Amino acid sequence: MTRNGIGIRTASVLSQRVTGQIHVYDGLGKGKSQAALGVVLRSIGLGINTPNNYNRVLLLRFLKGPERDYDEDGAIAALQSGFPHLIDQVRTGRAEFFSSEQVTSFDRQEAARGWDVAKGAIASGLYSVVVLDEINPVLDLGLLDIDEVVRVLKSKPHDLEIIATGRAAPQKLLDISDLHSEMKPHHHESALLQGIDGIEIYTGAGKGKSTSALGKALQAIGRGINHPGSTRVLIMQWLKGGSGYTEDAAIAALQQSYPEVVDHQRCGRDAIVWRNSRQELDYVEAERGWEIAKTAIASGLYKTIILDELNPTVDLELLPVEPIVQALLRKPRDTEIIITGRCQNQPAYFDLATVHSEVYCHKHYANQGVELKRGVDF
């Protein structure tokens, strides 16, 4: 059988690797820190259903000092409260942008403080995932010694996953990475001319599309927790039927504590769907998901709607394009829509995107025959 379509590999039957990898997300496009937050959500979800305390995450955030509030803070605090054995968070730096000409001794001290925490966490054996959010610009600004950072990361424990994010990743860090996704921005003049706002699309061959959307969902859930009544979130996922997706447990825990904030729906068979192996159920499930999504968009009830893997669903011709275009054109102005997934041909609704990040794959461990990992990749 010729496989010329796009499929999502079922999570419930995947084998998984043990060896931890070094991920780098960089580029000028949006989605880098969001991808790291998405992995945090997955890893916590895995830990909830795992009897031991191994699946512990450190979210270490450089250049994001405690003086500023971030949307995701409420959701992270809620997860920390419910599952204190699964997540730690440390924030360092000042909460404002500065250039290399504006570096102060405080910036160097805060970077060093964060790196001391990172080194201790990496050596401790307590964590399965360590996120070094915004370490790339810290290195680019010369606030840390790149040679020392590379040396520590190369000597990390065998099974530890490291995730580094931010613009301007130095070449020495890219050289030791197992995965390098670059977020490349695209601009659509037609969206600007039509006065459209609040549509984000993440596509491309690199890793980070669905995880960016999950990170965006975590931010929106946090906003709803911090400011009750301000937002309700729908996470709608196509081509991902069945079970085995680790983020489900973390989302369910947040749903239980904050039922008025987040809803989550999956549709599709628990199987790969290829262009030449589509079944009637694939069309039925795709349409079922779209009916839910269309109603949610029109309702105005949801301020953030994640349409995960909508792109390949359309590319597989399981859904027509025009109804999606019309629904997006008529969406309430204050509703954010986030659409993900790779596709061979960009559908017409791409022209409506105010944010469009192509996740470009420079390196991916899967291309080297390395298995994916539960709690990180799915």
Side-chain angles (χ1 to χ4, degrees), residues 289-300:
W290 174 242
E291 286 299 316
I292 295 170
K294 179 177 66 175
T295 302
I297 293 169
S299 71

Side-chain angles (χ1 to χ4, degrees), residues 61-339:
R61 308 169 81 183
F62 293 90
L63 305 179
K64 292 182 176 177
E67 297 82 9
R68 176 180 169 186
D69 293 331
Y70 290 86
D71 284 342
E72 61 268 20
D73 290 348
I76 291 171
L79 289 168
Q80 281 183 303
S81 176
F83 310 99
H85 62 295
L86 292 178
I87 179 171
D88 294 315
Q89 179 184 204
V90 176
R91 291 168 58 175
T92 72
R94 48 173 158 151
E96 60 185 4
F97 174 81
F98 58 91
S99 65
S100 56
E101 293 78 19
Q102 298 170 313
V103 169
T104 66
S105 59
F106 175 78
D107 299 321
R108 297 187 185 281
Q109 291 167 3
E110 282 292 277
R113 178 172 73 88
W115 181 237
D116 285 342
V117 172
K119 287 188 291 185
I122 290 169
S124 70
L126 292 175
Y127 298 96
S128 60
V129 177
V130 171
V131 174
L132 305 177
D133 186 33
E134 301 295 352
I135 195 172
N136 297 342
V138 166
L139 293 169
D140 185 57
L141 287 165
L143 301 179
L144 293 175
D145 179 4
I146 179 60
D147 291 326
E148 182 190 357
V149 171
V150 166
R151 183 170 63 254
V152 171
L153 296 187
K154 286 177 67 177
S155 61
K156 71 174 184 66
H158 177 74
D159 52 356
L160 176 63
E161 211 83 19
I162 301 284
I163 300 173
T165 78
R167 297 186 180 194
Q171 188 59 49
K172 288 184 178 180
L173 179 59
L174 297 177
D175 289 343
I176 66 164
S177 69
D178 302 294
L179 180 142
H180 174 203
S181 288
E182 178 188 359
M183 276 59 172
K184 294 184 176 181
H186 294 271
H187 303 284
H188 298 275
E189 292 297 328
S190 56
L192 181 63
L193 292 173
Q194 295 182 69
I196 298 169
D197 193 21
I199 297 175
E200 300 185 10
I201 294 179
Y202 297 91
T203 189
K207 175 177 169 53
K209 302 178 290 295
S210 290
T211 43
S212 288
L214 289 174
K216 184 79 174 184
L218 191 66
Q219 291 173 332
I221 292 166
R223 191 161 61 246
I225 292 171
N226 280 336
H227 307 284
S230 65
T231 189
R232 189 178 181 101
V233 184
L234 171 65
I235 305 170
M236 186 70 230
Q237 298 184 287
W238 280 268
L239 300 176
K240 290 180 175 177
S243 59
Y245 298 93
T246 54
E247 63 264 26
D248 288 5
I251 295 170
L254 290 168
Q255 279 182 302
Q256 185 171 2
S257 298
Y258 304 96
E260 74 286 356
V261 172
V262 58
D263 294 312
H264 181 206
Q265 294 281 338
R266 291 188 179 275
C267 64
R269 288 187 291 134
D270 188 10
I272 290 176
V273 180
W274 299 98
R275 193 176 301 275
N276 289 348
S277 65
R278 291 167 293 188
Q279 298 181 9
E280 182 62 29
L281 183 58
D282 298 322
Y283 292 91
V284 171
E285 281 290 281
E287 186 62 35
R288 180 177 70 84
W290 174 242
E291 286 299 316
I292 295 170
K294 179 177 66 175
T295 302
I297 293 169
S299 71
L301 176 65
Y302 296 93
K303 302 307 180 187
T304 301
I305 298 176
I306 310 295
L307 305 180
D308 185 34
E309 304 295 354
L310 179 62
N311 293 337
T313 302
V314 171
D315 201 54
L316 286 163
E317 299 178 347
L318 298 176
L319 287 174
V321 176
E322 187 57 27
I324 298 172
V325 171
Q326 293 304 315
L328 294 178
L329 284 171
R330 293 194 296 266
K331 80 171 184 67
R333 187 165 183 81
D334 60 350
T335 297
E336 286 188 301
I337 309 286
I338 295 86
I339 302 172

Side-chain angles (χ1 to χ4, degrees), residues 9 14-18 207 364-366 370-374 376-378:
R9 195 175 179 188
L14 278 175
S15 58
Q16 62 170 317
R17 61 182 160 84
V18 175
K207 175 177 169 53
H364 197 312
Y365 38 79
V370 178
E371 293 284 359
L372 303 183
K373 188 175 186 180
R374 195 174 297 277
V376 175
D377 298 297
F378 61 93

